[in-house]
Amino acid sequence: MLMEADDYNDQMTDQQDVAIIAPQHLDDDVLEEHEPLADDYEAMRLVALPINPDLEIEAETVFTWHIQDWRNLQRREHGPDMTCGGYPWRILFFPYGNNVEHASFYLEQGFGDEKPPEDWYACVQFALVLWNPNDPSIYTTHNANHRFTMEEGDWGFTRFAEIRKLFHGLWEDKSRPMVENDAVNMSAYIRIVKDPTGVLWHNFINYDSKKVTGYVGLKNQGATCYLNSLLQSLYFTNAFRKAIYQIPTENEDSHSNSAYTLQRLFYQLQTSNDAVSTSELTRSFGWETKHIFEQQDVQELSRKLMERMEEKMKDTDAENALAKLFVGRTKTYVSCINVDYESSRVEDFWDIQLNVSGNKNLDESFKDYIQVETMDGENKYFAEGYGLQDAKKGVIFESFPQVLHLQLKRFEYDINRDAMMKVNDRYEFPEIFDATPYLSEDADKSEPYIYQLHGVLVHSGDFNAGHYYAFLKPTKDGLFYKFDDDRVTRATMKEVLEENFGGDYNMPNGHTVQGVRNPYTRTLSTKRSMSAYMLVYLRQTRLDSILPEVSKDDTPPHLQRKLDEERAYREQKRKERDEAHLYLPVKVITEENFKTYQGFDLTAWDVDLADPAAPRSYRTLRTMTIGELTGKIAEDIGKEADHLRLWVMVNRQNKTVRPDQPLVDSLMTIEDAHAKFGTKGHEFRIWIEEASKFEGGKPVWPEIQHQLNSNSQILIFAKYFDAEAQTLKGAGYFYMRKHDKVTELASPILQLMGWSTGLSLKLYEEIKPAMIEPLKQKQSLNQAEIQDGDIICFQKALKSDELVYPASRKDVSLTLFEYRCNALAQAGKYVDAREIYDHLLNRIMVRFCPKIQRTDEDQTFTLELSKKMTYDQFASRVGEHLGVDPTHLRFTTVNQTTGNPKMVVKRNLCQNVAQILSPQFNQYSTTQLSNQLYFEVLELSLSELETKKNLKIIWLSEGITKEETFEVLVAKNGIVADILSALQKKAKFDDTTIRQVRLYEAHGGKVYKELSSDHSVVGVGEYVQLYAEKIPDEELKAEEGDKFINAFHFQKEPNKSHGTPFKFLVKPGEPFKDTKARLEKRTGIKGKQFEKIKFAVVQRISYSRPIYLADDEILYDVASEFDDLLGLDHTDRSRGFWGRGDSIFIR
């Protein structure tokens, strides 16, 4: 393999997760002063092959090849062998270029025809210097790094130097050409370096993580690298893994159970040889496709996962196991300076969030976390019994957990950019950390709080784009490994620590970087894009209990059994796929299959294997003969092999599958028989005929001839429609001759059924699913085009005295079947065989699920319907099943991807079940399930519902902090008083309360208008939010001169509104300090949360700047215009970390 190093570097740039900065060459001015000569090998080595201080040198050498008679050399030449590090090396030379107009030089391993040692490789830095032997100041050089292997045994430079310039004219600014007298020297500087991680300069083609490291990674589903890094961290916290295994799941081994799927994931990480998928786990979380492609906050995910596992562990042997591992305690206190009074609160924590910005290292962050705030002057603390006092306020740690999770706040809001930004400042963390200085004086310090670094979770990129991976130390005395999705590699301590501190790139000799390209944002930056965002420390004194050995015996037996079965099944399927070319699938049906099957044709080829009508399946070698297959089938069904005859079945043009001809050559192979007689592209389908006549103990088979004019025998199948039992099943088979009349079919049919002669039958030919035609009695079978394998359907014919016509129809000239006027028809049963065929053709099993589950009992059920049923007909069937009025039922289609309700089905008399479940022209979209509907039982009929309007009202019971949603139905021609009346019934308010309730509309987070009691329901906007609240007492007691202002919430800018808007009473002459006290009571927002709010007057006009209010200002005077608004500026806590409104969840 020949590849140019420059081209390779270009290719690798896009693949590398972390930018690699190569050491810089000496500055140009230094080179000019100290430019070495090519024959001064030691000096040239420093220039051509700079030393990388991070790599340990194993061996190095320099060798010069004296190239003579250039123009007469072969197209491809090898230089003399040289040795470095005990391995042979040589230069590969293309004098006339390797398909380019440049001389091409490569370094290659020199084993030649000899095989190198198994798994041989060498990490090599090398430089090739081409120079003029008459003037060593004339030279050109290129260098590269490469991992030489058996597969990639050469590496170098296809465009080393342009041939024309080498021979003609002066070389650059020198006085002579590079090549003189067809002679030139090539010096190779070779340096073999140690491979500290086993993957130095690895291309990762065919890389086996398990083989190299003993561990496997996790597959990335789209943007789940953040999940993968957290899961690997938890997996290698062995005590956590053991606790998860202790959750009893043997009776809840459902893939919707997150504890069970996490157990499965951990077990597969333990036992698998390949990267493990997380798709089972994310599905059990209830995540949809959109969640797979969204990055989420790891801290929030960790807390949600811990909460869910804690719930699963409740009342089990694993209860409190997670709290013992991950929970520490903090004390929040306010301590008076001059009096003996302290108010404190002790709380549990699962992780600690530390500020990165403004801190240089972990110690500074902890000092920042526990810093004490002095409360004095205007900010004095009110101590009960002592009044206002100077005090100290802060947080101190009472204890740290065994496993310490530290969340580094690498993402912060930048007020200048008005956006979340990543903090790439340098931030150091140690391998050993002593947490003792941050404990309270009263904390139990009998056991040292010294922690050992166990994991570093890294984010590379910026806030908008990036990648997550983890460095973890699986054993207490072992090495760190890098877990990057499905790839696991050994890591150095520099990779774990220094390269994840962030900050500027450090260059040798004090050189600076002009900019390194971020592989995810494609932008240049002088700061590292990769930095730690989560640290995992383990308490040194508890290492043995935190990292116990986890063996196969620790995993639940049912889990092992289930996964081993699945693994064996997959292996079997893989083996079958690999050997598929040797085998031919064969499906066989017998007379018993035909007799138990109810439907069209002889059987259905895809029915459940438990169904008696299901064909028998065989995986047969293509070389097996017909005789051997017959013997195998005979043994399987308990028959004599010579009593059976195999018929090949073929696909006819009318989309039926019928027996075509018997296979008489017992020595023919299955492959030849299928190729000659079978249907291409399908499995080999066989019908088994069992002999009914014997002579001398040997079976006698009817002769089958296919000449057009012969009166040969025809194989005919008979199918009986029983009108009383409403069944259509096979009765058996018989032979007739082509010239026999249709009327003669009655005799063998009556004989099959054991009926008396003279019984009248109606006969039909089963041509195709939608074509069941009555046979003409005067025709011969040949005229009726009856052939081998055709199916005749028969039923008893009723006599004229059995006819019972409806009173409304007196025309007895029409047949019984046309009027369905016998007792069976009056009972709602099918009378004509064609009707049962039509039913079977259009039947569909539909699953109905309650849209709102009102009880613990599962209300899901399945009904068999006809695709031709109208909306009213199938609603009637559902109503009959539920015991409710069908007019009070409403149905909703089901989203095929998520299983959630999709679109309400409108009652349409012209629409049938088929059109509702499988709509055309995108009426309900093809992304819906075609066999399932949601149902709901309404209080009103659908016709009444059309006269009503459904309104969603948010009831504010405690200021604006507590919301409760009610849905009410009111008449479209009603008024707001009707809405309030409906709300009173739903919320169960008394008459006094409802009289003091006001209703108002909000849009865009701002109050739109208050609705009067006589406002029409039709006038309520479709796209507004309705709020209802009890009018505050201060408004009811408003004095003359008071006025009202509408208030809303925003973050930084008034156009970024959020939260619940409200109406507020403003009093003349009231300082804003007093107004804030009333606002705190009005909103119900208290404590620190209220203190963080900044208040401003905002004018209605677009792009107006907020006028922030000081405590001594008077809101009444500042808000002078009637449409001015009061703005509450604070963080929107309803939005997720990454700017999404929907927070992460685990079902």
Side-chain angles (χ1 to χ4, degrees):
M1 172 184 173
L2 298 175
M3 182 174 281
E4 184 175 1
D6 294 339
D7 292 344
Y8 174 75
N9 289 335
D10 290 343
Q11 294 176 16
M12 288 300 290
T13 299
D14 291 341
Q15 299 174 7
Q16 291 170 346
D17 295 327
V18 180
I20 296 175
I21 310 304
Q24 300 293 306
H25 292 288
L26 297 176
D27 293 339
D28 292 339
D29 55 348
V30 175
L31 286 176
E32 289 177 7
E33 290 181 21
H34 306 286
E35 186 173 353
L37 299 179
D39 58 357
D40 185 354
Y41 297 122
E42 288 303 317
M44 180 57 71
R45 188 201 311 271
L46 295 175
V47 174
L49 200 60
I51 293 176
N52 186 338
D54 294 331
L55 296 175
E56 185 179 349
I57 300 172
E58 281 192 341
E60 59 182 334
T61 190
V62 60
F63 177 84
T64 299
W65 175 21
H66 305 288
I67 301 172
Q68 303 289 334
D69 203 16
W70 182 313
R71 299 176 199 266
N72 293 321
L73 295 175
Q74 299 295 319
R75 178 184 174 277
R76 177 187 178 112
E77 294 283 351
H78 280 108
D81 286 350
M82 48 187 156
T83 301
C84 184
Y87 307 131
W89 305 92
R90 62 189 179 187
I91 293 172
L92 174 60
F93 175 34
F94 290 81
Y96 313 108
N98 186 10
N99 299 317
V100 293
E101 294 181 354
H102 289 67
S104 304
F105 288 94
Y106 307 89
L107 178 68
E108 73 172 4
Q109 49 90 352
F111 288 103
D113 295 333
E114 297 180 17
K115 271 194 170 184
E118 189 176 357
D119 295 330
W120 174 85
Y121 74 92
C123 296
V124 180
Q125 294 177 304
F126 68 94
L128 300 181
V129 180
L130 188 70
W131 54 285
N132 187 323
N134 301 315
D135 185 353
S137 68
I138 299 176
Y139 62 84
T140 184
T141 178
H142 294 278
N143 63 18
N145 304 328
H146 184 59
R147 184 187 188 91
F148 285 85
T149 63
M150 186 61 186
E151 294 76 23
E152 289 191 350
D154 54 68
W155 202 255
F157 313 95
T158 302
R159 294 175 176 83
F160 190 91
E162 192 175 352
I163 297 174
R164 179 179 58 81
K165 290 183 179 180
L166 290 172
F167 284 90
H168 303 290
L170 306 180
W171 180 257
E172 296 180 351
D173 58 348
K174 304 298 181 179
S175 59
R176 55 207 304 172
M178 175 71 75
V179 181
E180 292 183 314
N181 301 321
D182 277 0
V184 72
N185 286 348
M186 167 56 73
S187 294
Y189 295 82
I190 304 174
R191 180 184 298 143
I192 298 178
V193 298
K194 287 187 177 179
D195 181 4
T197 62
V199 292
L200 181 63
W201 304 325
H202 205 300
N203 61 14
F204 292 104
I205 296 173
N206 299 322
Y207 178 74
D208 188 333
S209 294
K210 183 82 170 190
K211 181 179 178 182
V212 177
T213 67
Y215 306 108
V216 297
L218 293 168
K219 295 177 183 177
N220 192 332
Q221 297 185 56
T224 56
C225 48
Y226 72 97
L227 172 67
N228 291 351
S229 63
L230 177 65
L231 289 173
Q232 290 281 21
S233 170
L234 295 173
Y235 171 78
F236 285 110
T237 307
N238 294 1
F240 176 83
R241 195 194 326 169
K242 274 195 167 186
I244 294 299
Y245 284 153
Q246 289 178 328
I247 301 175
T249 57
E250 56 270 23
N251 298 323
E252 296 182 51
D253 57 348
S254 164
H255 283 213
S256 62
N257 181 351
S258 54
Y260 175 65
T261 54
L262 187 58
Q263 287 179 342
R264 287 173 60 92
L265 180 77
F266 282 178
Y267 182 74
Q268 290 176 83
L269 283 173
Q270 258 178 241
T271 59
S272 177
N273 291 322
D274 302 304
V276 178
S277 172
T278 58
S279 56
E280 283 184 358
L281 184 68
T282 53
R283 280 198 297 270
S284 73
F285 289 173
W287 292 4
E288 302 172 10
T289 304
K290 68 174 184 177
H291 300 114
I292 299 303
F293 289 92
E294 286 180 352
Q295 286 189 351
Q296 299 282 0
D297 179 25
V298 173
Q299 181 188 22
E300 187 180 6
L301 172 63
S302 177
R303 289 181 178 177
K304 295 281 186 183
L305 185 60
M306 294 291 185
E307 287 173 9
R308 186 63 66 242
M309 293 304 108
E310 280 258 289
E311 290 174 11
K312 299 289 185 181
M313 291 176 180
K314 196 170 183 181
D315 299 326
T316 72
D317 293 341
E319 188 170 9
N320 294 324
L322 299 189
K324 291 175 183 177
L325 281 173
F326 298 102
V327 172
R329 310 196 81 190
T330 60
K331 181 174 77 171
T332 304
Y333 64 89
V334 178
S335 179
C336 293
I337 297 172
N338 301 316
V339 297
D340 185 16
Y341 181 89
E342 180 179 284
S343 172
S344 63
R345 182 177 70 254
V346 177
E347 296 175 304
D348 292 343
F349 68 85
W350 288 78
D351 53 42
I352 304 171
Q353 274 195 306
L354 298 175
N355 288 322
V356 172
S357 184
N359 296 309
K360 294 179 180 179
N361 53 47
L362 201 60
D363 282 318
E364 289 192 9
S365 289
F366 267 96
K367 289 173 183 175
D368 175 56
Y369 195 93
I370 65 170
Q371 69 176 332
V372 177
E373 175 189 351
T374 301
M375 304 176 70
D376 55 12
E378 294 184 357
N379 194 32
K380 284 186 178 183
Y381 175 70
F382 183 82
E384 189 173 349
Y386 295 96
L388 294 174
Q389 294 288 331
D390 293 340
K392 290 186 177 182
K393 176 182 176 183
V395 176
I396 194 70
F397 291 95
E398 291 292 315
S399 67
F400 288 102
Q402 298 180 53
V403 181
L404 183 59
H405 280 184
L406 303 178
Q407 307 287 345
L408 306 183
K409 295 170 71 173
R410 282 284 180 185
F411 300 99
E412 289 188 352
Y413 178 78
D414 188 324
I415 192 169
N416 295 319
R417 292 184 175 90
D418 188 26
M420 291 292 288
M421 301 294 292
K422 184 177 180 182
V423 179
N424 281 319
D425 299 344
R426 182 176 177 83
Y427 182 88
E428 299 178 7
F429 47 90
E431 188 176 359
I432 302 297
F433 168 64
D434 186 359
T436 309
Y438 314 111
L439 288 166
S440 71
E441 294 179 358
D442 301 329
D444 180 5
K445 301 174 186 175
S446 58
E447 186 179 338
Y449 279 94
I450 297 177
Y451 286 82
Q452 175 178 302
L453 186 64
H454 175 70
V456 180
L457 278 62
V458 181
H459 177 266
S460 177
D462 64 13
F463 180 77
N464 298 306
H467 179 61
Y468 292 85
Y469 49 92
F471 292 94
L472 299 166
K473 188 178 181 180
T475 58
K476 67 176 183 178
D477 298 319
L479 301 170
F480 273 91
Y481 292 85
K482 180 181 179 182
F483 293 83
D484 188 354
D485 287 338
D486 56 358
R487 183 187 299 164
V488 185
T489 57
R490 201 163 76 238
T492 64
M493 287 310 298
K494 181 182 178 183
E495 289 178 295
V496 175
L497 298 172
E498 176 66 34
E499 293 188 0
N500 296 311
F501 289 163
D504 295 328
Y505 285 99
N506 295 326
M507 301 305 299
N509 304 321
H511 289 275
T512 58
V513 184
Q514 297 301 317
V516 177
R517 189 173 299 280
N518 186 312
Y520 305 101
T521 63
R522 302 295 179 187
T523 57
L524 293 174
S525 174
T526 59
K527 287 186 179 292
R528 294 180 184 273
S529 64
M530 58 283 200
S531 53
Y533 72 92
M534 177 176 166
L535 304 175
V536 182
Y537 281 94
L538 305 184
R539 196 172 181 182
Q540 279 191 337
T541 55
R542 305 290 182 91
L543 283 176
D544 291 334
S545 61
I546 300 171
L547 298 178
E549 183 181 351
V550 183
S551 66
K552 200 172 182 180
D553 295 335
D554 293 310
T555 58
H558 73 279
L559 186 69
Q560 297 181 31
R561 185 172 58 254
K562 183 75 172 176
L563 284 165
D564 289 346
E565 288 172 359
E566 292 175 6
R567 189 176 291 118
Y569 177 76
R570 288 195 300 270
E571 181 60 26
Q572 179 188 345
K573 288 298 180 184
R574 184 198 62 77
K575 186 178 179 182
E576 288 179 1
R577 286 195 302 270
D578 292 345
E579 298 176 350
H581 64 287
L582 302 175
Y583 291 86
L584 184 68
V586 176
K587 285 193 173 182
V588 176
I589 61 170
T590 63
E591 185 177 7
E592 289 305 312
N593 297 132
F594 174 56
K595 287 182 176 180
T596 55
Y597 173 62
Q598 175 156 309
F600 190 82
D601 230 331
L602 296 181
T603 191
W605 298 97
D606 56 355
V607 294
D608 190 276
L609 294 178
D611 193 320
R616 295 175 183 270
S617 295
Y618 297 91
R619 187 169 178 257
T620 59
L621 285 167
R622 292 176 177 270
T623 55
M624 179 181 281
T625 64
I626 296 298
E628 291 170 338
L629 177 61
T630 305
K632 187 174 183 178
I633 296 170
E635 182 182 357
D636 196 23
I637 63 177
K639 304 288 183 182
E640 295 291 334
D642 59 350
H643 292 184
L644 304 179
R645 181 163 71 166
L646 275 57
W647 283 68
V648 62
M649 301 186 72
V650 298
N651 289 22
R652 294 182 177 178
Q653 290 184 347
N654 61 2
K655 298 183 179 180
T656 61
V657 184
R658 303 289 171 82
D660 184 62
Q661 58 183 302
L663 297 170
V664 294
D665 185 357
S666 61
L667 298 178
M668 179 180 281
T669 65
I670 299 292
E671 184 173 31
D672 291 341
H674 181 254
K676 187 173 182 179
F677 306 116
T679 302
K680 292 181 180 179
H682 291 272
E683 68 268 6
F684 198 18
R685 294 171 176 173
I686 300 291
W687 176 67
I688 296 293
E689 179 184 10
E690 189 175 350
S692 57
K693 293 184 179 180
F694 297 88
E695 289 184 3
K698 293 186 177 182
V700 178
W701 302 105
E703 293 185 5
I704 303 296
Q705 297 180 3
H706 291 285
Q707 288 82 357
L708 292 176
N709 297 320
S710 68
N711 190 25
S712 60
Q713 296 190 87
I714 308 171
L715 172 66
I716 296 176
F717 291 88
K719 193 176 286 186
Y720 171 48
F721 168 54
D722 186 343
E724 294 290 341
Q726 295 287 283
T727 58
L728 177 70
K729 293 186 178 180
Y733 66 92
F734 53 84
Y735 284 90
M736 298 286 288
R737 294 197 173 274
K738 287 185 177 181
H739 295 167
D740 290 342
K741 297 293 185 182
V742 169
T743 53
E744 297 178 60
L745 289 169
S747 178
I749 290 175
L750 293 173
Q751 188 176 349
L752 275 177
M753 302 300 294
W755 291 341
S756 60
T757 58
L759 184 67
S760 180
L761 301 176
K762 292 194 71 68
L763 304 176
Y764 303 88
E765 182 188 0
E766 188 180 291
I767 300 173
K768 60 183 181 180
M771 186 180 291
I772 312 299
E773 298 292 336
L775 290 171
K776 297 178 180 177
Q777 296 187 4
K778 295 182 179 180
Q779 285 185 328
S780 68
L781 299 181
N782 193 39
Q783 291 171 329
E785 299 182 352
I786 303 298
Q787 61 185 18
D788 283 321
D790 280 355
I791 299 174
I792 304 299
C793 177
F794 64 93
Q795 70 176 102
K796 295 178 182 178
L798 300 178
K799 298 176 182 177
S800 59
D801 58 0
E802 295 178 281
L803 299 181
V804 182
Y805 290 93
S808 59
R809 305 301 292 262
K810 300 298 184 182
D811 187 356
V812 294
S813 64
L814 298 179
T815 67
L816 168 69
F817 299 99
E818 290 170 322
Y819 280 118
R820 301 183 182 184
C821 49
N822 59 1
L824 295 173
Q826 291 175 348
K829 295 183 179 181
Y830 299 114
V831 177
D832 193 306
R834 287 170 292 188
E835 295 173 358
I836 192 78
Y837 272 107
D838 182 73
H839 166 72
L840 295 174
L841 177 64
N842 291 289
R843 67 178 172 178
I844 181 173
M845 303 303 292
V846 182
R847 189 166 180 256
F848 292 90
C849 305
K851 192 172 182 180
I852 302 172
Q853 188 76 36
R854 300 186 185 278
T855 64
D856 293 337
E857 184 181 350
D858 186 12
Q859 295 177 293
T860 301
F861 60 92
T862 301
L863 291 180
E864 181 182 293
L865 305 177
S866 170
K867 294 178 183 177
K868 291 185 175 181
M869 280 183 173
T870 64
Y871 180 96
D872 286 348
Q873 286 174 328
F874 94 79
S876 178
R877 286 289 306 278
V878 176
E880 181 182 350
H881 177 87
L882 294 171
V884 301
D885 188 339
T887 63
H888 287 238
L889 287 172
R890 182 165 63 181
F891 302 96
T892 307
T893 58
V894 183
N895 187 297
Q896 184 175 346
T897 306
T898 65
N900 296 328
K902 184 173 178 61
M903 184 176 291
V904 171
V905 178
K906 294 182 179 179
R907 180 173 176 267
N908 187 338
L909 298 179
C910 300
Q911 199 172 39
N912 58 31
V913 170
Q915 292 166 330
I916 291 171
L917 292 173
S918 301
Q920 296 179 345
F921 310 116
N922 210 31
Q923 182 179 357
Y924 294 107
S925 169
T926 55
T927 59
Q928 71 179 56
L929 287 176
S930 59
N931 62 348
Q932 185 173 327
L933 290 171
Y934 281 105
F935 72 88
E936 52 186 324
V937 181
L938 305 175
E939 297 177 359
L940 306 173
S941 68
L942 288 177
S943 56
E944 287 181 278
L945 191 62
E946 290 176 358
T947 66
K948 305 284 185 180
K949 185 168 184 173
N950 186 49
L951 298 172
K952 184 183 289 185
I953 301 172
I954 295 179
W955 168 249
L956 305 173
S957 58
E958 297 178 10
I960 60 170
T961 58
K962 187 175 179 181
E963 298 181 353
E964 191 174 358
T965 302
F966 295 99
E967 287 193 25
V968 297
L969 276 173
V970 291
K972 291 180 179 178
N973 59 357
I975 57 176
V976 166
D978 299 325
I979 299 176
L980 294 175
S981 177
L983 177 63
Q984 181 181 8
K985 291 179 182 178
K986 278 272 185 175
K988 298 178 181 178
F989 294 151
D990 56 41
D991 292 340
T992 304
T993 300
I994 201 66
R995 280 196 294 269
Q996 295 177 356
V997 170
R998 67 166 161 232
L999 194 68
Y1000 63 93
E1001 294 178 339
H1003 181 68
K1006 298 174 183 176
V1007 174
Y1008 182 59
K1009 66 178 175 183
E1010 186 174 339
L1011 303 179
S1012 61
S1013 59
D1014 58 352
H1015 186 85
S1016 68
V1017 171
V1018 175
V1020 176
E1022 291 290 331
Y1023 303 104
V1024 298
Q1025 181 63 63
L1026 280 180
Y1027 288 95
E1029 66 171 351
K1030 186 179 177 183
I1031 301 172
D1033 290 340
E1034 66 174 7
E1035 291 187 28
L1036 296 174
K1037 301 173 183 177
E1039 300 173 355
E1040 187 176 351
D1042 291 348
K1043 66 179 181 181
F1044 293 93
I1045 189 171
N1046 289 329
F1048 75 105
H1049 309 263
F1050 68 93
Q1051 182 173 337
K1052 305 300 181 186
E1053 293 182 7
N1055 61 347
K1056 295 181 178 179
S1057 57
H1058 63 87
T1060 303
F1062 59 96
K1063 189 176 180 181
F1064 182 64
L1065 179 72
V1066 182
K1067 293 181 172 292
E1070 181 183 61
F1072 194 66
K1073 183 179 181 181
D1074 297 334
T1075 306
K1076 281 201 299 185
R1078 288 196 300 111
L1079 275 166
E1080 184 174 6
K1081 182 179 179 181
R1082 172 71 176 90
T1083 60
I1085 304 173
K1086 301 182 183 300
K1088 282 188 176 181
Q1089 193 175 352
F1090 186 82
E1091 291 173 9
K1092 292 179 181 179
I1093 300 175
K1094 294 187 291 184
F1095 298 89
V1097 171
V1098 181
Q1099 296 176 334
R1100 277 279 187 184
I1101 59 173
S1102 301
Y1103 309 110
S1104 63
R1105 296 183 64 82
I1107 305 169
Y1108 287 94
L1109 297 163
D1111 285 354
D1112 57 351
E1113 291 187 273
I1114 297 173
L1115 175 60
Y1116 193 97
D1117 297 336
V1118 179
S1120 55
E1121 300 296 328
F1122 76 95
D1123 58 353
D1124 282 348
L1125 303 173
L1126 175 62
L1128 285 68
D1129 182 0
H1130 59 107
T1131 304
D1132 180 4
R1133 297 186 179 276
S1134 65
R1135 298 187 65 78
F1137 177 76
W1138 295 95
R1140 288 177 293 274
D1142 50 340
S1143 180
I1144 196 169
F1145 65 93
I1146 296 178
R1147 183 171 57 194

